[in-house]
Amino acid sequence: MKLITCPINGTRPVSEFVYGGELRLISDPQALDDQTWAEQVFYRNGAPGIKKEWWCHVPSNTWFIAERNTATDETLNTYLYGEEDSR
Amino acid sequence: MPFRLLKFALSKEHPEPRMFQSRDRLKSSYDAVIIGGGGHGLAAAYYLSRDYDMSNIAVIEKGYIGSGNTGRNTTIIRSNYLTPEGVKFYDESVRLWQDLSQDFDLNLFYSTRGHFTLAHTDSALRTMRWRAEVNKHFGIDSEVVSPDDIQSACPPMNLACGGHAPVLGALYHAPGSIARHDAVAWGYGRGADQRGVEIHQQTEVLGITVQSGRVTGVDTNRGHVSTPKVLCAVAGFTPRILDMVGLRSPLYIHPLQALVSEPMKPWLDPIIVSGSLHVYVSQTARGELVMGASLDPYELHSTRSTFDFAEGLAAHMLELFPFLSHVKIVRQWAGLADMTPDFAPIMGKTPIEGFYLDSGWGTWGFKATPVAGKTMAHTVACDRNHDLIQEFSLSRFKDYQLVGEKGAASVGH
Amino acid sequence: MNEMRLLPIPGEWIDRRQLIDFTFEGRRVTGYAGDTISSALWASGYRILGRSFKYHRPRGILSFANHDTNTLMQNGQMLNVRADVLSIRSDMALTAINSMGDVRSDRAHVLDFFSAFLPVGFYYKAFHTKKLFPFWEKVIRRMTGLGTVDPSTPHIRTAKRYDFCDVLVIGAGISGLSAALSAAQAGVDVVIVDENLHPGGSGQYQLGGEMAQAQHTANLVKSVQQHPRIRLYTETEAAGYYDDHWVPLVGRNYLSKMRAESVIVATGVYEQPAVFRNNDLPGVMLASAAQRLIYRYGVKPMNRAVVLTANSDGYRAAVDLIAQGITVVAVVDLRESYVEDQWTKKLCDRGVKIFPNHCIYEASSNPANDGVSAAIVCSLNSGNPETGFAQLISCDGILMSVGWAAAANLLYQAKTKMRFDDHVQQFVPHILPPGIFACGRVNGIFHIEQKRCDGQRAGLEAAAYLGKSDLTKIAVLPEAESPSHPFPIVAHPKGKNFVDFDEDLQLKDFYNAAQEGFDNIELLKRYTTVGMGASQGKHSNMNALRILARITNKTPEQVGTTTARPFFHPVPMSHLAGRGFTPERRTPLHSRHEALGAEFMLAGAWRRPEYYRQRGKNREDCIRLEVEAVRNGVGIIDVGTLGKLEIRGADAAEFLERVYTGRYTSMKIGTTRYALMLDETGVIVDDGVIARLSAEHFYFTTTTSGAATVYWELSRLNTMWRLDCGIVNLTGARSSINLVGSHARTVLAKLTDFELSEAAFPYLAVREMRIAGMPAIAMRVGFVGEWGYEIHVAADSALALWDALMNAGADYNIRPFGVEAQRVLRLEKGHLIVGQDTDGLTTPMEANLGWAVKLDKPFFVGQRSLQIIAKRTPKHTLVGFVLEKNFKGTPPQECHLIIDNNEIAGRVTSIAFSPTLQCYIGLAYIKPGLSEVGNSFSIRTTDGTSVMATVSKTPFYDPDNARQKKIATVRREVVV
Amino acid sequence: MTGFRVSPICDAMRLAQRATSEKMAKPSSEESLIATEREINQMRFAQGNSSGHSTTLGITDLSFLTRFGVKGAAAAAWLHAQNLPIPDAPNRWLPLRGGGLIARLGFNEFLIEDSINSSIAPQLIELSQHPPAKVYPVLRQDAAIALGGSLILDLLAQTCSLHFRALNLSECPVVLTTMVGVNVTIIPGEIYRIWCDGTYGVYLWQTLLNIIEEMQGGAVEFEQLLPL
């Protein structure tokens, strides 16, 4: 089974984790017109590549960010949200 | 023994021509380029050349024909969808399927087996009634049946499911069928080829040229071709192609895995699906059990296999069919499902003139092959969305006009 | 009957002191302990062990290496048993699986004579008229399949375990053993596995008559077995390679999921058959199969042999035969000349005739049709047989030793880039992924000394990869000559020169497939089905590739290989499934429900009482009585499966404002409020009740099914928003019980000193109090529409609370009620259930929950989408409806459709007979034009009949919520 | 009126009892009684009667021990102020003076469990009635069990994907992982301590006990597997 490293709990099989989707930073919703907002909500960055994603280590309920290559399934880096620079 | 087989015994040379020509080079221009030589792309080429007299077409395939999801799915065909637009669309598909072997003069082993979607909870049962009622409204043979009915269609099944999730009933869809998936691509490919369509395998699209909002050509690893029309029929690779023309979509790609067992004497006639147990299974003409489960839980553009999938699927299979304990699994594989937020496809015209989409096929693409080909051929030829796909346009998301197929997200496939 | 048994051989795997009887095709057979089914049968003179898949040709031993799929057998409930590797047992009653009647005279063998009618892909070209296909399909299905499943086979739960090691070595042949030893000596922990009964690999049977080599191998095995850092598992197959060095190991009765830091693949090679006419006759076998028969089982492969070869291995095999007293009539060498060495000399000395630059053009069948009578040998002219000069050499067996294919499946699965090495005529690893190593023959190293060196090299490299050793360069010498012939394939106008023995594919099938356009390796595979049989191409893929390369005028490298997927060998489903863990959750009151006769229903991992059985009453009556008890007296229900969350902190209210649609900052302490949760697109995902316990402390509930995901999502949002608050999930830690009905207050009053008057504890208030001595949170909320309390206590006190309430309520005929009664009760109140009365796309506007949405808040999840949605008319809205008061027919059911002008105009989401109102009531989505109160519409039921219904205001029952706010003084005052 | 507390695993033992007496097809005699009910800390629980299993493989219910949970950014400081030792890294534990333990779950969450003789947790519960900012008490209602015996690693290998052998026990690790599909907190050692959501307690206990019995172990008296 694929391994993922939780920044707190260490390296565990992927079955201990829940995928939370790509990290998407949405700017002030009220500043966007209807069309732009709808695109923000529905449209995805669908092509493969290195993406920042939410993952949760379920037994400890730890959410963190994983930088993962969605073409190869290699996780390049994991860190707690907002602590990217501290690593 | 059928008379047709005589010719093989009587002729000295193998009496069969090439199904598809191999071509040394691409022409410099085509009336249309179809990206993707899977079932859908080839079907579109077939109907374009047959029904719209368009044969100056190139089908461009990165691998070999049928190498994507056409050759990786679990071959289930049904039309018992939830929404009127879904039901009508897939019903037309089933109708086309039924005549396809004869149309092609190629045996697709289109085998009507009956399709049971098992309900293990009262909410699943409710959803099935919904589907049955919508289906019946459109003349689709579909009904909710009792555990006794299920048991008599598949006597050895353990409806108690080891006590964990007893079967309460099922949605039964008599036209549910399986077919020899590769042959579908070959049949469409041969038909298109005979009508002059060029199929270029091992040819990769590197870019699409767009000028003032219009498609003008396609760059490939074998050179540039100019064309006013491009149909993108590449399932799991759609987001990459969309990137080339600067379009965005709600598509997200998850692998869908499957397993096949060693052959055994036929014992399973119908197709059995259980959403709660994440299992679907049918027995092929060779006697193998072909099995699938739910999508992998996270985005990935790779057809790697995982062992946990095999473990989970086997565990669930044995709940329903404990007597398969000694049956061996031979092989596992995966395809890339291009999922949409409402579990309906994304088809038709796009904001870029001359660029047409046939995508969003998730886990239901195989069964749509004929109708997708037919409707996309119409759309490409007439530059107007076919009636059956009006509701499936890319713009529906921006307009919050989603198709309700996800309404009862109990089970796909 | 052991007519083919040799004298004892040192190191053999059988125990000649232990005789074992079993039956094959109803006949008694005797073998020795340690024999495989095939070796015991062969020793007893059996030649036809099975029938081929398509033409039902007689087949015997071919590879004897766990991929003789023509000899799959049925043993009782065990199907597709592999006779070439499975040890015999006295309780075996074996039959051949692909035979009509006795395998020796299989009635279906006539198919062989019709083979000309059945070329490659014949089934695509016939049987397909719409009318006739069902008939032909039946015929095909009768002929198809291998073994038979027995529906009475029990559910076998095999133990699975996780395991770990530094280095996993797969294959315990010379190179694997050497690798394990050198890695272990460098200080890492090693696990080495081998699928065979004993380790040693070809080091113990490809001997060329030199027993000393077997002794060397045995010594190496002993060093490995004695090394404290090495665990050696035999009879263990590496099923596949998965991401991050994960390799499931399949043993006879267990499955072990090995997580290695590094993997050394020492899986060796599969010997490949030569292709010539009748190369499938029993008695024609791979040289390595013959050597295994001899050295492992002491069984003579034949009495009089012709050896077809193209490498030095064939000469060694011939010497092995001679050493056992078997006559070798001739060695036929496909190569133009051969290098003279000790083995060729030995053969010349023994008078064996060697035919260089010759081929076997065909094998002749014996009169009994169960073996070989002769080899027809031709000289070669530029690789083509000179059929004019054929010689017939009589023999009863033919050995094939023309080359090998890398057993590289695991390497491919690990994403190794392979290249075709022209010198050894084999695919070898080109670029190995990090932590993956290969050695020995899979790496193109064949010479026994070099295999040892290559193993050492790989072992040290693996240790170095793990930081345990400085890499010392070990030189491995290349092969002197190619072990594999580039094209050991001879055409024959009459065919029957098999490439794939699983699928009965002949040479011409490949030419024909290519002619039809399937000239790409993947298409060729799919059209011909080469390599799709149970052996997964272990003996056929390489020859198919060579043939295609020749047809298309490409190199094998250019043709490329097909994708190798798991599994390496087929794995039983019982091994994959393991014990099968299905987690179940129970509320602390589960045993009480059981004792009360609860009928349980599934709710996710929970089991909830659907209703409580009563003697002499059917389900409907039981539910009705439960409903009536609540309406007329007092009822009690376990709602402990609800999600229960707590949020504390300065920003707690702000947090709730952002995730739920209502307004919470303004909530008074001690009050509760309905809470509706949306996703970003404005679709309803969950609902519950929020209680404000103090300024910075809220307690709230979610739906049963939403509990886990809501908690995850809230945790994620809090991680992102970084508000000053903390969320605690109390779903399992707290238990909750609803006490409802006009007597609820009286009952509760018996258990608490807390003031329960309407003034002190009004409707929709929350209070912390002690009940029966237990600290509890009580809410005056009313999903079911009566005066009621939802009481939350610590889970360990739930039983005490339940018992106390039941005791206190005994005088008032308190009755426990289940989920079904609750559904009816809430329906009478017109409350919707998220998931039943909403679906995956329902917005608050459609569900008539606009009142619960404060669109003018600064922000909440789903708000922006809702602003867009709110501008348009909903496609349908949720309304209440009633059937005629005296409706007598079959009532509609949930999800029946509303039909208007023959079009779908909506659907029923909830319907029930209301015992209180004495009529059918329900909720339905209906399109705008029909949704006015008082409007009639038609529901179509399953049998097609229409039932008229009328849109009604909700709540159906007690529209002013008086009963929740006022104690009903008179029973049965219900106004309908 | 005072209530009583019941261990979340109590039902499992009753079920086992019922199954055993059904298997023996006779009313349960003195010997066939595999479980007895006891009460400690006002909690009712059941336990195995066999004493022999603890050397090979024994399991026992320790849910009756009193415990306290707290989380939040200021939780460590608050506990420190209550004179408790704080493990210096996430997922470590420390013994408490007077018995019991404190486990740090991640950065900001703590589990404090008493020994059979101590009563720190009830005091902390009392003290946390009105917690300061960024201190959030967590109601602990765990199913708490202990496992011991020579075959324990084999049992763990069949039920949990973690590589326990690789842990450095001198670092006093705490492991948050899953076991037979249930989220658990594990403290490894001579005796393995496992905590899970009480509503999964019966399932976890029954699943483990089935395997333990296959391995010739069984449910034992808690005294045989008593923690620090």
Side-chain angles (χ1 to χ4, degrees), chain C residues 477-631:
Chain C
L477 299 177
E479 289 301 303
E481 51 172 5
S482 175
S484 294
H485 192 275
F487 202 72
I489 293 157
V490 179
H492 194 292
K494 288 185 177 164
K496 300 290 163 61
N497 37 5
F498 288 95
V499 176
D500 189 318
F501 291 64
D502 291 11
E503 303 284 305
D504 272 355
L505 296 171
Q506 317 167 44
L507 178 59
K508 67 169 185 204
D509 290 331
F510 293 85
Y511 281 87
N512 293 345
Q515 180 189 320
E516 292 189 39
F518 298 93
D519 50 4
N520 158 312
I521 190 71
E522 292 281 359
L523 285 178
L524 183 79
K525 170 180 162 182
R526 280 164 173 75
Y527 190 64
T528 62
T529 70
V530 64
M532 308 257 276
S535 79
Q536 293 277 291
K538 291 186 174 75
H539 69 263
S540 58
N541 280 349
M542 195 59 215
N543 277 337
L545 193 152
R546 291 184 195 280
I547 294 165
L548 183 61
R550 186 150 291 199
I551 293 172
T552 55
N553 213 1
K554 287 177 177 167
T555 64
E557 172 100 35
Q558 288 167 326
V559 168
T561 51
T562 56
T563 320
R565 300 189 179 279
F567 297 116
F568 187 65
H569 291 305
V571 182
M573 289 178 73
S574 62
H575 283 58
L576 295 171
R579 295 177 186 276
F581 298 124
T582 311
E584 273 180 24
R585 276 184 110 167
R586 290 165 172 242
T587 75
L589 302 173
H590 193 88
S591 58
R592 289 291 184 271
H593 302 319
E594 275 180 339
L596 287 162
E599 196 63 49
F600 287 97
M601 61 184 282
L602 277 183
W606 300 98
R607 247 146 240 274
R608 301 193 65 191
E610 184 185 353
Y611 66 95
Y612 296 86
R613 289 186 303 272
Q614 292 188 44
R615 197 181 296 276
K617 301 261 189 311
N618 64 18
R619 178 179 180 275
E620 282 63 39
D621 285 343
C622 293
I623 294 166
R624 180 176 49 79
L625 288 169
E626 290 175 15
V627 169
E628 286 171 2
V630 173
R631 287 283 177 250

Side-chain angles (χ1 to χ4, degrees), chain B residues 227-241:
Chain B
T227 182
K229 295 183 177 196
V230 171
L231 168 60
C232 170
V234 295
F237 295 85
T238 308
R240 303 181 211 203
I241 300 292

Side-chain angles (χ1 to χ4, degrees), chain D residues 174-212:
Chain D
V174 177
V175 181
L176 285 80
T177 183
T178 59
M179 181 176 246
V180 295
V182 176
N183 294 331
V184 289
T185 300
I186 302 178
I187 291 188
E190 186 120 345
I191 285 167
Y192 274 69
R193 294 297 316 283
I194 300 173
W195 294 264
C196 79
D197 184 318
T199 56
Y200 284 110
V202 170
Y203 162 75
L204 180 69
W205 175 275
Q206 281 181 329
T207 308
L208 292 181
L209 188 62
N210 280 344
I211 304 171
I212 288 170

Side-chain angles (χ1 to χ4, degrees), chain C residues 646-652 694 696-698 723-728, chain D residues 68-82 84 86 108-110 112 123-139:
Chain C
E646 188 173 54
I647 182 164
R648 293 177 190 252
D651 290 336
S694 72
E696 298 186 356
H697 185 189
F698 294 81
L723 294 174
D724 182 3
C725 57
I727 308 159
V728 178
Chain D
F68 169 75
V70 64
K71 68 193 223 183
W78 183 78
L79 288 169
H80 186 67
Q82 314 307 320
L84 287 171
I86 309 296
N108 287 336
E109 185 165 356
F110 297 87
I112 289 101
Q123 292 171 32
L124 292 171
I125 291 171
E126 210 44 51
L127 285 167
S128 66
Q129 287 299 312
H130 302 285
K134 301 183 202 304
V135 176
Y136 315 120
V138 177
L139 177 66

Side-chain angles (χ1 to χ4, degrees), chain B residues 19 26 29 51 53 81 83 87 128 131 144 160 196 198 227 257 274 280 285 294 298 311 339 388 392 394 403:
Chain B
M19 283 203 189
L26 287 154
S29 106
D51 301 345
D53 206 21
Y81 278 74
T83 59
V87 171
M128 280 161 200
R131 270 162 63 176
V144 175
E198 294 184 6
T227 182
Q257 301 192 53
S274 159
Y280 54 99
S294 48
Y298 59 90
E311 291 181 280
M339 298 297 296
L388 280 175
F392 300 146
L394 175 61
V403 177

